[in-house]
Amino acid sequence: MRDGSRVPPADLSAVEDGRLAVRDLTIAARDSGGILVSGVAFSVVPGETVALVGESGSGKSLTILAMLGLLPGGVVQTAGDVRLGGSDITGFAGDSIRLRGRVIAAIFQDPQASLDPRWTVGRYLRDQLFRHRRLRGAAADREAAALLDGVGLPQPERLMKSYPHELSGGMAQRVMIAGALAARPRFLLADEPTTALDVTTQAQILDLLADLQKREGLGVLLVTHDLGVVAEIAHRVVVLYGGRIMETGDAARVLGHPRHPYTAALLAAMPDITDDMPPVAIPGHPGERPASGCPFHPRCGLATSACETAPPSLREIGPEQGVACYHPLPSAAMTQGLIRYAVG
Amino acid sequence: MPLVEAQGVTKHFRVGGSAFATISRATVKAVAGADLAVDRGETLAVVGESGCGKSTLGRLLLGLMPPSSGRVMFDGHDLAGLGSPALRRLRARMQLVFQNPLQALDPRMSVGEQIVEPTVIHPAAGNRLPVADLLAQVGLDPALAGRFPHQLSGGQRQRVVIARAMATQPDFIVFDEPVSALDVSVQAQIIRLIRDLQTARGFASVFISHDLRVVRHVADRVAVMYLGRIVEEGPVRAVFAEPLHPYTQALIAAVPRLAPGMRRVRVVLKGEPPNPAAIPSGCPFHPRCPVAEYDCRTHAPARVAAGPARSVACIRVASGSTFLPAA
Amino acid sequence: MDTLPLQHDGRPGPHLGRRLAALARFCLLKLARTLATLWIVVTFTFVILRLTGDPALSLLPDNAPPDIAAAFRSRWGLDRPVWTQYALYFRNMLDGNLGYSLANGRDAVAVVLERVPATLRLTVSAFALTLAVGLPVGVFAALRHGRMADRALMMLATVKYSLPNFVIGIGLIYAFAIWLRLLPSSGSATAAHLILPVVTLGLSGAAVIARFTRSAALETLGQPYVRAAMAAGETRTQAIVRHVLPNAAVPILTVIGFTIGGLVGGSIIVEQVFAWPGIGRLLVDAVAVRDLAVAQVIVILLAVAMVTANLAIDLAYGLVNPRFWNNDDDIR
């Protein structure tokens, strides 16, 4: 269970420059007690984009919901905490609730369904501006128009009168982003924000997120299943499988030279539009959960008996770089060394 | 002669009407004059964004709905002109595999029962293969025959659906987003399976997908659809390496790239596809096209030959201009 | 290269005038349906009451001489062919004459109208109780979904829903009037007389409303926009009040319409059980003696009340649904 030493955030400014850190997050099913997420830890600083990447059952969405204090009914957080600066904001319990949406905002997968069907865009934005910044009347309308302009939506007057069902998916996601930014948050948690969108729209939204992240100095935590999206906009990446971190580190380095067999296999399974190499499947499916050991061992080509008994812990292998594997792949330097040796 | 051929096929739907009826009714032109041909043993991918009409086109090709105009030929027969017994015989030679395998399967029937169902419906069709062989050829353990759909993983269910489609030994299969609902690691398995089956059985197929990355690895040729029209068509490698239509170029540019240093160019395409109930005049792509000229607003371009085995519907291509700065 | 002033969406949005025209069309259609409903109801009542018994036999003493009975029949036109009576009834109705009570010769409309306030007092109070109990219980159960309180309340609602009103009424009379001696069992003299009939009538509606409110609230609670609103800074309570309840209101409204129907039907039985002097009891008496004019007026009144209630629900449904005001106004 969580420890009781919660430090209430006395002052918003004190936490605003801090990092958003998740430590030892563990989530279990309420009834069966089955562990869904185990010991997940990472952090995001303002100005960087961190991607949580994984297949179904990896625990990526549960992690983000736990961070927001919005875990669904049948699921509970059994250990770990979430810290913002020096303050414990786990589950946004107690006083820290006023930071939700204000310092940490969120957008979700199905943007049209994430807007109340009975609320116009204008009502949604004015509501956000009043709650977080006490703006109302003409000042709120001006700011709402500016927010819409800032996310690339023209004709703010007309849009403000629109209902969600009148918007396309891409427009709805832009409206969600505008509403999230209304509070001038430091962090944006984005749960598969482009999965439900068409490819040209997805590219527009990814460009927008990258722009905003630079312009506003936002810390972005992006949940996705698409390594292509990670390569597009993430600075750092956390690879999850079966509720555990497999590998973490600089995005270009992890995607370029994966050290964990799962990351490497996932990369090989991704079809690439420029590559003639057909995708290489991973046998089995991500739903199989072994009773013990590394969650990936039933599908891993390098697994040994050690992998079946206890899950490997996440080892530091460089600055902000870690891999949880008993048999990590050789590093890029080592591979090159080997090649040089072999070539003579 | 191609195995399947669409000649000027259109499909219109009447939509609208609410609780306060007759407020608004519109005609959606889901497919607006599509011509295409699929040869025996060939895979043609149909790509485009949601609402472009690709799924409707797939169903038209199978004769599952009659076209509003134009005709669909299968092995020399006009599907519209066939009486139901003749159509039924042809149907056994065509199959559909679609996105959500859980919807495609009957939750109360065992895997074995579902797989042989098409041969029960079409008793005359092909040689009947034993259930175990059907399961084995899609890479499933024959012991799964007694299981029910909810006991299988998503990838296994899609394999069952494919096994069922193979039961009548069809000549033609339409795959409608068969891997979109699957995890990446499983998606690669199904892509591999479809390719292997095609090599072994030699059926022709139409592979409908919004995911150009998948299409790159399953199709021989690709047709790009925008608002019910095929705007470009050709061999998949040639089209992806050197897209001619501005929409194809934008579509390919928007695909996320894995390799560092291969990051895509910034998006040149503004806006989103308009409602298929309100298709713009002239070339339907002109409002979003970065290189539209005045004539594009009034003149709907016909698809014309453009290089070996390729065609494109764009007056800028016909006039020989180039569009995008090299990425 | 010049950019062109291209527009791909020059369609005008629907004007308010067009929406109001649609609304007018809708109301006209409803009116036509109402008239058709009334015609069917009146005809049905006429046929049933005329063909199943002779008022002369039920109203006159058993030993009345045949010529008195014949005079009675001729006085009220009962000796004419049924179709003539039917045609006459409709002609009089068009003149605004709904006939006279066979029992006492008074204007049937007046006889019914003097009973209306008592019935209104009963049904309106019961309706208020239905909503005041049903809505909060349903929401509360949804919020405690799957816990003890939810299961207990829903079991109670099912029991209440499946017991007929007269059983409940008699049970309440036994408990509160006979055993506890707290409340009067019948009549309408004081406000205390109102309590037992209103509780009997109101609780069965409340059970239905509670069940539907619970399922509507549960469905709405699971919508992504509720989670998104909380992620944007709303507390759970705020999200429930601002997003769950208004959105759940749409399906609940439909059920409230059905409940009104149940109230009207239920009041007839409840008035019998508690000897409440409303139109329900009058209707039972009128049917018993084949007092056609009075029965017809009541049936017409009930039908009009039902249709009006349903119309109000339909309009409310349209008003709470933004899609009605913005149908297909696609701004893409």
Side-chain angles (χ1 to χ4, degrees):
Chain A
M1 281 292 137
R2 296 176 213 153
D3 60 351
S5 63
R6 188 187 308 285
V7 185
D11 177 16
L12 283 188
S13 61
V15 296
E16 277 192 7
D17 294 321
R19 66 174 50 214
L20 175 61
V22 173
R23 297 192 313 193
D24 189 33
L25 182 70
T26 301
I27 301 171
R30 192 190 291 277
D31 293 338
S32 67
I35 303 292
L36 303 169
V37 170
S38 179
V40 164
F42 60 87
S43 66
V44 189
V45 295
E48 74 167 346
T49 300
V50 175
L52 276 182
V53 64
E55 299 180 273
S56 51
S58 66
K60 56 190 191 302
S61 287
L62 282 180
T63 299
I64 222 169
L65 289 177
M67 292 174 76
L68 288 166
L70 294 175
L71 281 175
V75 160
V76 281
Q77 183 181 338
T78 53
D81 57 18
V82 182
R83 289 181 172 266
L84 183 61
S87 310
D88 186 342
I89 58 159
T90 310
F92 284 108
D95 256 4
S96 62
I97 182 74
R98 64 208 168 89
L99 300 180
R100 183 160 77 189
R102 181 164 308 175
V103 179
I104 301 174
I107 58 173
F108 297 95
Q109 174 166 357
D110 186 347
Q112 271 154 318
S114 294
L115 292 163
D116 187 326
R118 303 169 33 77
W119 282 33
T120 60
V121 169
R123 183 170 174 198
Y124 166 61
L125 293 179
R126 279 191 288 266
D127 187 58
Q128 284 290 88
L129 287 166
F130 181 73
R131 178 173 27 250
H132 295 299
R133 286 162 61 191
R134 295 290 150 202
L135 290 180
R136 61 169 95 212
D141 283 353
R142 265 197 310 279
E143 183 62 21
L147 283 168
L148 291 175
D149 188 58
V151 297
L153 288 172
Q155 296 185 306
E157 305 79 21
R158 192 164 174 211
L159 199 59
M160 299 262 276
K161 293 194 194 95
S162 306
Y163 286 91
H165 73 270
E166 301 169 281
L167 309 176
S168 67
M171 289 169 84
Q173 195 58 288
R174 286 173 196 267
V175 167
M176 282 301 295
I177 294 171
L181 294 181
R184 296 187 175 139
R186 304 308 302 154
F187 295 96
L188 181 68
L189 311 189
D191 188 0
E192 302 260 16
T194 61
T195 304
L197 306 176
D198 275 318
V199 60
T200 58
T201 316
Q202 159 170 295
Q204 292 169 1
I205 298 291
L206 290 179
D207 282 353
L208 174 65
L209 283 176
D211 283 346
L212 291 172
Q213 184 261 313
K214 282 199 205 77
R215 201 166 78 202
E216 317 267 330
L218 274 177
V220 176
L221 179 63
L222 176 81
V223 165
T224 180
H225 68 280
D226 189 339
L227 287 173
V229 170
V230 177
E232 287 282 325
I233 69 165
H235 300 114
R236 290 194 299 121
V237 61
V238 178
V239 181
L240 292 171
Y241 187 86
R244 289 181 167 272
I245 295 183
M246 298 287 107
E247 181 166 12
T248 175
D250 175 80
R253 197 174 323 170
V254 169
L255 298 188
H257 299 283
R259 301 291 305 278
H260 197 288
Y262 173 63
T263 318
L266 193 60
L267 276 163
M270 289 285 299
D272 193 286
I273 194 164
T274 49
D275 197 348
D276 275 341
M277 275 283 290
V280 181
I282 309 177
H285 60 91
E288 344 171 7
R289 276 291 181 85
S292 63
C294 170
F296 187 57
H297 86 253
R299 306 178 70 193
C300 182
L302 302 179
T304 58
S305 58
C307 305
E308 294 169 24
T309 46
S313 52
L314 192 67
R315 282 190 302 120
E316 292 259 331
I317 51 166
E320 296 258 3
Q321 192 93 1
V323 61
C325 183
Y326 294 123
H327 314 289
L329 302 171
S331 69
M334 248 174 89
T335 317
Q336 270 162 14
L338 283 173
I339 292 169
R340 233 173 284 141
Y341 175 78
V343 175
Chain B
M1 184 181 66
L3 178 67
V4 185
E5 195 173 8
Q7 298 170 346
V9 168
T10 65
K11 184 68 191 177
H12 297 177
F13 294 108
R14 299 279 289 165
V15 294
S18 63
F20 299 84
T22 71
I23 286 182
S24 163
R25 281 177 73 82
T27 302
V28 171
K29 294 174 181 162
V31 177
D35 294 289
L36 55 78
V38 189
D39 284 331
R40 285 166 200 280
E42 170 186 65
T43 298
L44 171 71
V46 178
V47 300
E49 297 179 280
S50 48
C52 74
K54 54 189 189 296
S55 288
T56 306
L57 180 60
R59 278 156 181 73
L60 288 167
L61 292 178
L62 290 173
L64 293 179
M65 49 171 74
S68 304
S69 65
R71 56 181 191 161
V72 177
M73 308 290 288
F74 182 86
D75 204 7
H77 305 279
D78 183 346
L79 290 183
L82 292 176
S84 49
L87 194 58
R88 268 243 289 284
R89 272 197 299 281
L90 279 190
R91 278 268 164 75
R93 299 171 57 194
M94 318 177 211
Q95 291 292 335
L96 172 67
V97 171
F98 59 93
Q99 179 171 353
N100 189 335
L102 203 51
Q103 276 172 15
L105 297 172
D106 185 331
R108 289 154 307 173
M109 272 169 91
S110 76
V111 165
E113 290 170 324
Q114 321 228 15
I115 287 180
V116 296
E117 204 189 11
T119 55
V120 176
I121 299 169
H122 304 290
N127 313 323
R128 289 202 202 178
L129 289 175
V131 169
D133 289 4
L134 285 167
L135 285 173
Q137 73 172 351
V138 297
L140 287 176
D141 183 350
L144 291 180
R147 300 272 181 89
F148 288 86
H150 70 269
Q151 298 171 305
L152 305 178
S153 72
Q156 288 174 324
R157 285 185 206 126
Q158 195 60 289
R159 286 175 192 268
V160 171
V161 174
I162 292 172
R164 186 173 63 179
M166 301 303 298
T168 59
Q169 308 208 19
D171 299 323
F172 178 53
I173 302 183
V174 171
F175 294 97
D176 190 353
E177 303 271 11
V179 298
S180 302
L182 302 175
D183 275 308
V184 172
S185 65
V186 179
Q187 173 179 303
Q189 299 170 5
I190 303 296
I191 291 173
R192 176 73 191 275
L193 172 67
I194 291 174
R195 288 179 61 96
D196 288 352
L197 284 174
Q198 188 144 35
T199 311
R201 306 251 155 226
F203 54 82
S205 66
V206 162
F207 191 96
I208 296 164
S209 179
H210 70 281
D211 191 337
L212 273 62
R213 292 177 289 189
V214 170
V215 163
R216 174 75 175 73
H217 297 283
V218 294
D220 305 306
R221 290 191 301 129
V222 60
V224 181
M225 278 187 92
Y226 187 78
L227 284 179
R229 288 164 178 78
I230 294 171
V231 296
E232 180 162 6
E233 200 261 344
V236 72
R237 282 188 191 196
V239 170
F240 281 19
E242 195 201 350
L244 295 175
H245 196 283
Y247 178 64
T248 317
Q249 294 172 349
L251 213 51
I252 289 170
V255 173
R257 305 291 157 85
L258 266 183
M262 286 293 298
R263 292 209 171 162
R264 63 181 167 80
V265 289
R266 297 287 287 188
V267 176
V268 285
L269 203 55
K270 295 277 178 279
E272 290 174 56
N275 191 329
I279 294 178
S281 65
C283 171
F285 185 57
H286 83 254
R288 301 173 71 202
C289 181
V291 295
E293 53 188 43
Y294 192 79
D295 279 355
C296 299
R297 301 175 61 178
T298 52
H299 183 78
R303 191 146 55 92
V304 294
R310 297 185 63 174
S311 59
V312 63
C314 176
I315 56 176
R316 297 288 312 255
V317 174
S319 65
S321 353
T322 53
F323 311 119
L324 293 178
Chain C
M1 191 193 67
D2 289 355
T3 42
L4 296 159
L6 301 171
Q7 61 166 61
H8 66 269
D9 186 9
R11 291 176 305 138
H15 301 294
L16 187 63
R18 230 173 78 196
R19 291 176 204 155
L20 289 180
L23 185 64
R25 234 185 351 258
F26 171 78
C27 290
L28 269 177
L29 196 72
K30 279 279 167 191
L31 186 68
R33 280 192 197 154
T34 305
L35 291 177
T37 309
L38 281 181
W39 175 71
I40 292 168
V41 160
V42 166
T43 306
F44 187 76
T45 317
F46 186 94
V47 170
I48 296 292
L49 290 195
R50 269 293 172 271
L51 298 186
T52 57
D54 185 351
L57 294 182
S58 48
L59 277 169
L60 297 177
D62 286 345
N63 55 359
D67 53 325
I68 299 284
F72 181 86
R73 289 196 188 98
S74 127
R75 156 88 176 74
W76 293 108
L78 299 173
D79 49 353
R80 307 207 203 165
V82 165
W83 291 114
T84 316
Q85 292 183 44
Y86 180 71
L88 267 178
Y89 184 82
F90 265 92
R91 223 189 61 204
N92 289 337
M93 203 163 82
L94 290 180
D95 293 342
N97 176 5
L98 287 168
Y100 299 90
S101 165
L102 294 180
N104 53 25
R106 291 175 55 210
D107 181 24
V109 175
V111 169
V112 172
L113 281 184
E114 66 189 21
R115 297 289 200 104
V116 165
T119 292
L120 274 182
R121 210 155 61 232
L122 174 65
T123 47
V124 170
S125 315
F127 185 58
L129 184 75
T130 292
L131 298 187
V133 173
L135 294 176
V137 165
V139 172
F140 178 76
L143 296 181
R144 315 242 93 208
H145 176 51
R147 316 255 181 99
M148 269 299 285
D150 174 31
R151 287 181 198 158
L153 281 170
M154 283 310 108
M155 208 177 77
L156 214 64
T158 311
V159 168
K160 178 70 198 71
Y161 183 49
S162 40
L163 280 181
N165 274 338
F166 70 87
V167 175
I168 307 266
I170 290 168
L172 286 177
I173 289 174
Y174 181 77
F176 289 93
I178 299 173
W179 187 47
L180 293 172
R181 295 182 181 280
L182 284 175
L183 293 165
S185 66
S186 66
S188 64
T190 66
H193 283 95
L194 196 58
I195 295 176
L196 286 185
V198 164
V199 167
T200 306
L201 190 54
L203 281 190
S204 36
V208 180
I209 296 278
R211 284 206 75 97
F212 272 86
T213 302
R214 174 178 174 273
S215 60
L218 267 183
E219 198 192 319
T220 316
L221 270 172
Q223 293 295 317
Y225 56 79
V226 177
R227 189 181 63 189
M230 287 169 70
E234 289 187 17
T235 62
R236 188 170 153 86
T237 315
Q238 278 175 323
I240 287 163
V241 171
R242 288 151 52 99
H243 303 288
V244 175
L245 297 185
N247 280 291
V250 178
I252 293 173
L253 260 178
T254 316
V255 181
I256 289 178
F258 290 125
T259 324
I260 294 176
L263 273 180
V264 170
S267 71
I268 295 172
I269 291 156
V270 169
E271 286 183 9
Q272 281 302 114
V273 172
F274 291 96
W276 188 261
I279 56 173
R281 251 181 96 201
L282 185 61
L283 177 66
V284 173
D285 293 346
V287 169
V289 299
R290 303 294 184 277
D291 191 348
L292 180 72
V294 170
Q296 279 292 20
V297 170
I298 294 174
V299 164
I300 290 170
L301 197 68
L302 293 183
V304 169
M306 290 286 289
V307 169
T308 313
N310 280 325
L311 184 68
I313 294 289
D314 277 343
L315 289 178
Y317 189 87
L319 293 177
V320 297
N321 182 4
R323 277 162 219 234
F324 165 65
W325 297 106
N326 293 274
N327 193 57
D328 286 348
D329 183 7
D330 206 314
I331 68 162
R332 271 180 247 183

